[in-house]
Every structure is written in C-alpha cells, then in structure tokens.
Amino acid sequence: MSEIQRPGALYQQVAAAIRDAILAGEFPPGAPLPSEAQLIERYKVSRPTVRNAVAALRAEGLIDVQHGKGSFVRATAQPVLTVERRITRTSAGHFATHDGVEWEQAQEPSVHRTQTTVATGRALELREGEEMFGCDRLLTDPATGARALHRTLIPFATAEGTPLAQAPDTEPAKVYEILAEAGHTLSWTETVQARMPLPDERAALEIPDATPILHTTRVTHGADDNQPLLLEELRVSADRTQVAYRITAAQPPAVR
C-alpha cells in the first residue's frame, strides 16, 4: 500500500485509513487489527503515529484494545436486554412497574440527604438547593449480566407527613401507592438522554471505553395541580440495553 497522502495530522490520516478498511469489511467485527509492526509497515509511519491512530479509533468506539492480545474491531450486536417502561394499577389501588426484567440488587440501597441541582431542580420545579432524600440502587439482571443504576429523589415537601419521611428507600411502586393514599392523583412524564458516562457510572455499570449510557428520567406528578412530587433516574449501558415504551392513542385536547 502506498504511503498516507491525505491532509491533516499524520495520526488522523492513519486512523482514517484504518477506519476505511474496517467499514469496507477488510477487518470484520471481532477480527483483530494488524499488529503495530504491520501497521507501521503498511502505512510507512512511526510507532507513536500508529499508537495515536489506534487510540483515536478506540475513543470513537470503533475498536477495543485487549492488553496482551492487541486491538480488535468492536462488534455492533443488538442490545441483549430490553427494559420496558410501564406502570399499572390494580383495582385494589396497588401500583406495579413492568420493566420486563427480574432485577436483583447487587448491594443494599444507599440512602442519603441531598439538595436539588440546576438539572434536578428544573425537573422538580424547585429552586436549586432544596432539601431532598436520595436513594441509590445498583441492579443486575442475572440472565444477561447487564447492570443498571436507579436513583430516587424525594423532596422533603413530598415526604412530609407520609411514611417516606422515615423510609425514603421504599420501592418505587410502593412510593406511588403512598402518594396516592396521601390524596394525590398521579401521572408521569419521562425523558431519555444518551450521553457519555461519568467515571463512577462507567465503573459501576462495567461498560467499555467510548460507550454511552441511556439516562432515563421519570417525574411523578400530582395530577390535580401537576406539581412534580418525585424524580427517578435509571442509567444503563447503551451497548447492552434498549428502552421500550407502550404507546396508546390519547384523546385529542378539547377545543375551547
């Protein structure tokens, strides 16, 4: 092969050439890349240039580097786990969440006191610095090994006068039941954001380099005044997990 002649930094030129070879099928998913020595000979560049090129492709999520074995083209398999986002209520007033996953708790829930940030305050329609209870759970799916981080944030104003003030680690479905018994007519809104993980999230979820997470945020509202009562966050690795919703047709808004 002729020497690299594209514009741009030399390592970027080498990375682009390797990327082209991968996309052309020369190196299929799961296949090893040529060794450093072979890449040096192939592109007529120095060892640091090859290493920088491989590092760039790793940062893109195109390859994985296995220490002692070399670099491998990353597989693009479908997610192994589908998390359904549904809530139901029985005639007896009991709530249930239907993830479609038999989650197990990897460790005891961690309960703490915290305050609203700019983001959580906006979701809960509270000023920054308002007091809340927080409960963090690390969940695992024994069938696939997938992990999830679940966080519940309960403002003090929501917990006051309810059992949640003494037990903020109550399971979410039971929290809904407690709020309903307190006189709230509940509804929910949910958003999903894809983003790169923070270091502690990456370690807890055990996900590889250059892998985004799906960050799902669910707000529980008191439908009488639409006041946000509760905030839940679910974070999962986007390469192993997908999120599914059941959509039904709603009545169109009344014309005034």
Side-chain angles (χ1 to χ4, degrees), residues 84-90 94-99 172-173 176-177 186-190 218-220 230 232 245-246:
E84 299 179 12
R85 304 294 285 167
R86 287 194 293 134
I87 300 171
T88 60
R89 190 179 189 186
T90 67
H94 300 300
F95 289 89
T97 56
H98 299 274
D99 280 358
Y176 304 155
E177 187 174 332
L186 303 182
S187 63
W188 295 265
T189 59
E190 192 158 289
R218 173 183 288 172
V219 178
T220 302
L230 172 75
E232 296 173 72
Y245 294 87
R246 178 174 295 184

Side-chain angles (χ1 to χ4, degrees), residues 125-141:
E125 297 181 11
L126 296 173
R127 295 173 300 178
E128 185 178 356
E130 294 287 334
E131 297 289 335
M132 297 189 297
F133 292 110
C135 179
D136 291 331
R137 292 179 171 87
L138 175 59
L139 309 174
T140 61
D141 173 37

Side-chain angles (χ1 to χ4, degrees), residues 121-256:
R122 184 185 303 115
L124 289 165
E125 297 181 11
L126 296 173
R127 295 173 300 178
E128 185 178 356
E130 294 287 334
E131 297 289 335
M132 297 189 297
F133 292 110
C135 179
D136 291 331
R137 292 179 171 87
L138 175 59
L139 309 174
T140 61
D141 173 37
T144 63
R147 291 186 157 212
L149 292 169
H150 183 274
R151 171 172 292 168
T152 306
L153 296 173
I154 308 173
F156 279 10
T158 298
E160 185 178 1
T162 76
L164 300 176
Q166 302 300 321
D169 58 343
T170 301
E171 293 284 345
K174 182 62 177 177
V175 172
Y176 304 155
E177 187 174 332
I178 290 172
L179 294 177
E181 290 173 351
H184 297 289
T185 302
L186 303 182
S187 63
W188 295 265
T189 59
E190 192 158 289
T191 60
V192 183
Q193 175 191 16
R195 62 173 175 82
M196 297 307 294
L198 299 174
D200 60 335
E201 293 171 330
R202 182 173 177 269
L205 294 173
E206 298 181 349
I207 57 179
D209 292 340
T211 301
I213 63 171
L214 297 178
H215 187 156
T216 303
T217 302
R218 173 183 288 172
V219 178
T220 302
H221 302 266
D224 293 338
D225 55 7
N226 206 36
Q227 173 62 40
L229 301 171
L230 172 75
L231 176 63
E232 296 173 72
E233 298 176 321
L234 182 73
R235 289 160 287 170
V236 294
S237 175
D239 73 329
R240 307 203 68 195
T241 312
Q242 62 186 3
V243 179
Y245 294 87
R246 178 174 295 184
I247 299 173
T248 58
Q251 293 293 329
V255 178
R256 294 181 181 235

